[in-house]
Amino acid sequence: MGTAFFGNMDTFSTQEQKSMKSRAVKPKRDAKTSPRKTENKADSKPIKKTAVIENPKKRISAPRNSKKEIKTQVVKPVEMNKPVKTKKVPKKRAQKPVKIIFLGGVGEIGKNMTAFEYGNDIIILDAGLTFPNSEDMPGVDSVVPDVTYLAQNKDKIRGVLLTHGHEDHIGGVPYLMKELNSDTPIFGTRLTLMLTDNKLQEHRIQDTVQRVVKAGDKVKLGAFEVEFINVNHSISGACALAIRTPNGLIYHSGDFKIDLTPVAGEPIDFKRISELGKEGVLLYMSESTNIERPGYTMSETVVGTTLDHLFSENMHRRLIIATFASNVHRLQQIIDLAVKYRRKVALSGRSMFKVVDAAVKIGELKIPEGILIDIEKTKNLFDGELLIVSTGSQGEPMSALTRMSMGEFNKVTIGENDTVIISANPIPGNEKMIYRVINNLYKRGARVVYESLEKIHVSGHACQEEHKILLSLLKPKFFIPVHGEYRHLKRHAQLAEALGVPEKNILITDIGNCVELTESEMKFGENVQAGTLLIDGVGVEDYGDSEVMKDRLKMSADGVFTVAIAVTGNYVINDPAIEAHGCTFTDDTSEADMRAVVCRAVDSYDYSYGNKTELALAIKKSLKNYFYRKTKKAPLIVVSILDV
């Protein structure tokens, strides 16, 4: 029988104590009916039973064979016929994952865009563009992410967060906002939103909701709370983002470097970053652009020193400096040196004017009165009195510097007394265009200074040692490298593993991937529709399904062959008109032979029982076979059938 204890024995009367002790005497058992007599003492165990106490005055017998003093405690009585309440242990629900959707910026340089989703809430981080690859995107102006998934879920979107104002992070905002609800807020620092608003105005997108933030600010967006963290980069107002989710903290680096001696603004906020690391970072997402470079990125002050001695060495020569228009800190250094060496400054390039105007309005750029002049008036100044600041540091075909190098810029003619300083390094893929510009400048007699010759440019992206510092401060549980080609992402993943992040906690992603994140697990989920959209003037083409791009590529490779045929009623009249452009023919091909092929195709087709489309297909098929047999080429064939 089980035992119950009732406080100290002294609380009972002498008679009650004797009564209780008498009950503790072991009763006699029959040897045949008592199993305890036959059990081995070593194997015997007391049998526990639960005693239900119905009356507080009733005494409970002590266990048999017990020789120890009985300790008792008071037990509250249980009401008659009332069930005993037991504490319910809540069942642990399966944790809902945070979904991280990659729409750009992984497996490539540029076009950065990532969405974070939890339940019915989505936030978007950056919306950038990239420049086309001229080899397989002829005639395309720019390339932006496919935002079909976001358009389908636009009612869930709580905000667009911009880390900084570079084209590869804000250039796609107009195309994104055309697909979202008009009241979707856009968050960014002052310069970032000024540059973004310029782009929205170009696309005639009015009445957008823009929220200016600064480093240290926090915004609540549905299930997410986002904190902006000050970092250094090659543009003012760059921030990393600390994203608090129901499952844990995600730290996204944005584009950054560690510059302890910046020419403007504050150094990277190590204090806050280390505090976040102590708080506990579930996932760290870090840019990877310079991960292949060892050591540290040089400070922007190094460029100022180099520029100073170049100004000094070229006192009597005209200076032309090409740099990124968005690098406001470098523009400030250039203008300060122009003042020091008594030169007037002429700006060249549309984006240069827009950035300077925006930066001056918000106080990020300070230009003394009278220092700027119109480029039309530069011919009235001696060479040593003039500095031209231009776009085109990446060799863009329509940029001011490229046109100068080709002699196609009527406002500036390059000559032997010019020193051209290219204060930038090539974005991967742009090397050929930049070196073509440099070669053309040399041919025109100019002296050219670029990164290979002088420390004329420092990157805005962290090198290996800087990445090690951030990984050590944040101590993330999971890690995803972003902002880079596959080789960059792979190298960054290896670095993170070397610093203690387990290999199973690292993922390398691609465009369209969806990663599901909980407190204990990170894994790939179901992919979403994603890809590349081509911007051609005001037109937009899906790169994967673009018939226009397929035709352009075919024309660029094999040329185009056109045939025009006139029909009246059910009959074909007159001979076909034939033209060939960009086609290479052999000696045994002639216009007469091609005309004969077309005529045979027309004669073999009974137009009275057919239609224009079928007749055009029959002519294309005959010409395609003829060209491949004669030239082993497949030009684009265009057949026009005209009603007369």
Side-chain angles (χ1 to χ4, degrees):
M1 186 168 178
T3 57
F5 301 101
F6 286 86
N8 194 298
M9 289 290 292
D10 294 337
T11 60
F12 297 96
S13 66
T14 306
Q15 186 176 355
E16 287 175 327
Q17 292 182 32
K18 290 180 179 179
S19 176
M20 292 181 66
K21 289 179 180 179
S22 65
R23 293 185 186 184
V25 178
K26 180 179 178 182
K28 294 183 179 179
R29 286 179 178 269
D30 188 275
K32 294 181 181 179
T33 60
S34 177
R36 293 179 183 268
K37 292 286 185 177
T38 60
E39 289 178 352
N40 190 331
K41 288 184 178 181
D43 297 331
S44 65
K45 294 180 181 179
I47 301 171
K48 294 185 179 180
K49 294 183 181 179
T50 304
V52 179
I53 303 171
E54 297 179 350
N55 191 333
K57 295 182 179 181
K58 186 176 180 180
R59 306 297 179 228
I60 307 301
S61 300
R64 297 181 182 89
N65 299 326
S66 175
K67 295 182 180 180
K68 296 182 179 180
E69 182 182 355
I70 301 173
K71 294 182 180 180
T72 61
Q73 66 181 37
V74 178
V75 178
K76 292 183 180 180
V78 180
E79 294 182 15
M80 295 290 292
N81 302 323
K82 186 173 181 179
V84 179
K85 292 183 179 181
T86 57
K87 188 176 181 181
K88 293 183 179 179
V89 179
K91 294 182 179 179
K92 191 174 182 180
R93 296 181 180 179
Q95 192 179 36
K96 187 187 301 181
V98 174
K99 295 181 180 179
I100 306 168
I101 300 160
F102 295 89
L103 300 173
V106 286
E108 62 182 358
I109 298 290
K111 197 159 64 68
N112 298 291
M113 179 183 280
T114 310
F116 297 82
E117 180 176 353
Y118 185 86
N120 290 320
D121 299 317
I122 295 176
I123 59 174
I124 303 168
L125 190 145
D126 288 334
L129 58 72
T130 190
F131 297 106
N133 183 343
S134 58
E135 295 177 359
D136 57 359
M137 299 178 184
V140 174
D141 297 324
S142 56
V143 182
V144 298
D146 182 348
V147 295
T148 300
Y149 180 81
L150 299 178
Q152 292 170 348
N153 294 275
K154 60 183 179 181
D155 292 334
K156 294 183 178 182
I157 296 172
R158 306 296 171 235
V160 179
L161 304 156
L162 304 177
T163 58
H164 62 283
H166 278 153
E167 289 284 329
D168 58 334
H169 293 260
I170 68 169
V173 170
Y175 304 98
L176 172 65
M177 296 308 296
K178 290 175 183 178
E179 303 296 331
L180 303 186
N181 296 328
S182 59
D183 60 348
T184 303
I186 306 171
F187 296 86
T189 54
R190 293 182 68 191
L191 180 61
T192 301
L193 287 185
M194 286 287 288
L195 299 176
T196 302
D197 190 60
N198 285 342
K199 295 187 174 298
L200 292 169
Q201 297 303 322
E202 286 179 8
H203 288 258
R204 299 181 181 179
I205 300 175
Q206 306 291 337
D207 302 324
T208 55
V209 180
Q210 299 180 29
R211 300 282 185 260
V212 176
V213 295
K214 61 182 183 300
D217 286 352
K218 298 178 181 179
V219 293
K220 179 72 174 173
L221 299 170
F224 302 95
E225 183 184 80
V226 183
E227 180 180 353
F228 290 79
I229 312 296
N230 180 65
V231 296
N232 303 124
H233 190 41
S234 54
I235 188 172
S236 300
C239 288
L241 300 183
I243 305 170
R244 288 179 174 80
T245 76
N247 295 349
L249 176 63
I250 300 173
Y251 184 91
H252 193 292
S253 72
D255 285 359
F256 81 101
K257 70 173 182 179
I258 296 175
D259 191 345
L260 300 179
T261 56
V263 295
E266 297 296 323
I268 185 171
D269 193 348
F270 275 141
K271 180 176 181 294
R272 186 61 186 138
I273 292 171
S274 62
E275 289 172 352
L276 294 172
K278 292 176 183 177
E279 178 183 328
V281 175
L282 180 64
L283 170 64
Y284 177 32
M285 301 172 68
S286 177
E287 68 122 323
S288 311
T289 310
N290 271 355
I291 194 63
E292 294 177 328
R293 297 187 179 185
Y296 298 86
T297 304
M298 291 187 297
S299 171
E300 183 68 27
T301 55
V302 173
V303 177
T305 303
T306 304
L307 286 172
D308 196 324
H309 88 73
L310 288 173
F311 270 76
S312 177
E313 291 174 2
N314 293 272
M315 294 285 289
H316 303 292
R317 297 173 64 87
R318 183 170 64 173
L319 287 178
I320 301 172
I321 301 179
T323 189
F324 292 112
S326 59
N327 197 334
V328 176
H329 296 156
R330 191 163 302 166
L331 290 177
Q332 186 67 69
Q333 290 190 93
I334 291 170
I335 289 168
D336 291 344
L337 287 169
V339 173
K340 176 181 178 181
Y341 288 95
R342 299 180 181 180
R343 288 180 182 258
K344 298 291 185 181
V345 179
L347 303 179
S348 178
R350 190 172 59 130
S351 61
M352 186 66 69
F353 281 104
K354 288 189 174 182
V355 171
V356 168
D357 182 59
V360 169
K361 284 181 179 178
I362 64 174
E364 287 285 350
L365 187 63
K366 295 177 174 57
I367 303 177
E369 188 175 349
I371 196 72
L372 291 181
I373 64 167
D374 193 298
I375 199 167
E376 299 279 359
K377 300 178 180 179
T378 58
K379 295 178 181 179
N380 300 328
L381 297 174
F382 292 109
D383 288 346
E385 298 174 333
L386 179 63
L387 166 65
I388 298 173
V389 183
S390 171
T391 58
S393 62
Q394 293 301 304
E396 301 94 325
M398 296 306 295
S399 67
L401 185 64
T402 300
R403 287 182 288 151
M404 290 179 200
S405 71
M406 299 174 67
E408 297 176 355
F409 192 59
N410 58 356
K411 297 175 183 178
V412 178
T413 303
I414 299 295
E416 293 184 356
N417 202 41
D418 288 328
T419 297
V420 181
I421 301 170
I422 301 178
S423 184
N425 64 341
I427 294 173
N430 289 356
E431 293 88 352
K432 288 184 178 179
M433 293 189 292
I434 292 175
Y435 291 126
R436 186 184 301 122
V437 169
I438 292 172
N439 289 333
N440 288 336
L441 289 170
Y442 273 127
K443 289 177 182 178
R444 296 189 173 276
R447 181 186 301 170
V448 187
V449 180
Y450 48 100
E451 191 184 22
S452 300
L453 306 178
E454 291 274 4
K455 293 179 180 178
I456 200 61
H457 176 72
V458 297
S459 177
H461 301 274
C463 293
Q464 288 178 11
E465 296 304 315
E466 294 157 276
H467 284 296
K468 290 178 182 178
I469 291 173
L470 264 290
L471 280 162
S472 299
L473 288 175
L474 293 170
K475 300 181 180 66
K477 182 174 184 179
F478 300 106
F479 179 71
I480 298 178
V482 294
H483 298 192
E485 296 177 3
Y486 187 85
R487 60 191 172 94
H488 300 117
L489 306 183
K490 184 66 175 179
R491 182 69 188 87
H492 205 168
Q494 293 170 343
L495 181 68
E497 187 179 352
L499 266 71
V501 182
E503 183 181 5
K504 62 184 179 64
N505 289 1
I506 301 172
L507 289 181
I508 296 179
T509 58
D510 201 353
I511 294 173
N513 285 164
C514 173
V515 171
E516 296 182 350
L517 179 69
T518 65
E519 292 178 2
S520 58
E521 185 181 27
M522 180 175 69
K523 64 179 182 179
F524 284 109
E526 185 177 350
N527 289 351
V528 304
Q529 179 177 335
T532 296
L533 296 180
L534 308 179
I535 309 302
D536 187 8
V538 295
V540 180
E541 286 279 330
D542 186 332
Y543 179 62
D545 300 324
S546 175
E547 293 298 327
V548 172
M549 203 52 52
K550 291 176 184 176
D551 287 348
R552 287 184 183 178
L553 291 171
K554 184 172 284 190
M555 284 189 287
S556 65
D558 298 326
V560 59
F561 189 86
T562 62
V563 179
I565 296 176
V567 298
T568 181
N570 294 331
Y571 299 96
V572 177
I573 60 174
N574 296 331
D575 290 335
I578 295 175
E579 289 186 0
H581 301 278
C583 299
T584 303
F585 298 118
T586 60
D587 294 338
D588 59 345
T589 57
S590 65
E591 185 176 337
D593 289 341
M594 289 180 273
R595 193 181 301 276
V597 171
V598 175
C599 290
R600 283 196 297 271
V602 171
D603 292 341
S604 63
Y605 181 79
D606 190 349
Y607 185 67
S608 61
Y609 292 98
N611 56 50
K612 294 180 182 179
T613 303
E614 292 178 355
L615 176 58
L617 288 174
I619 295 171
K620 281 185 179 181
K621 184 177 179 180
S622 297
L623 283 171
K624 183 179 179 180
N625 292 336
Y626 171 80
F627 285 129
Y628 189 78
R629 187 173 67 253
K630 293 288 187 180
T631 67
K632 296 295 185 287
K633 293 286 187 179
L636 178 68
I637 300 171
V638 180
V639 178
S640 300
I641 300 177
L642 311 173
D643 282 310
V644 177

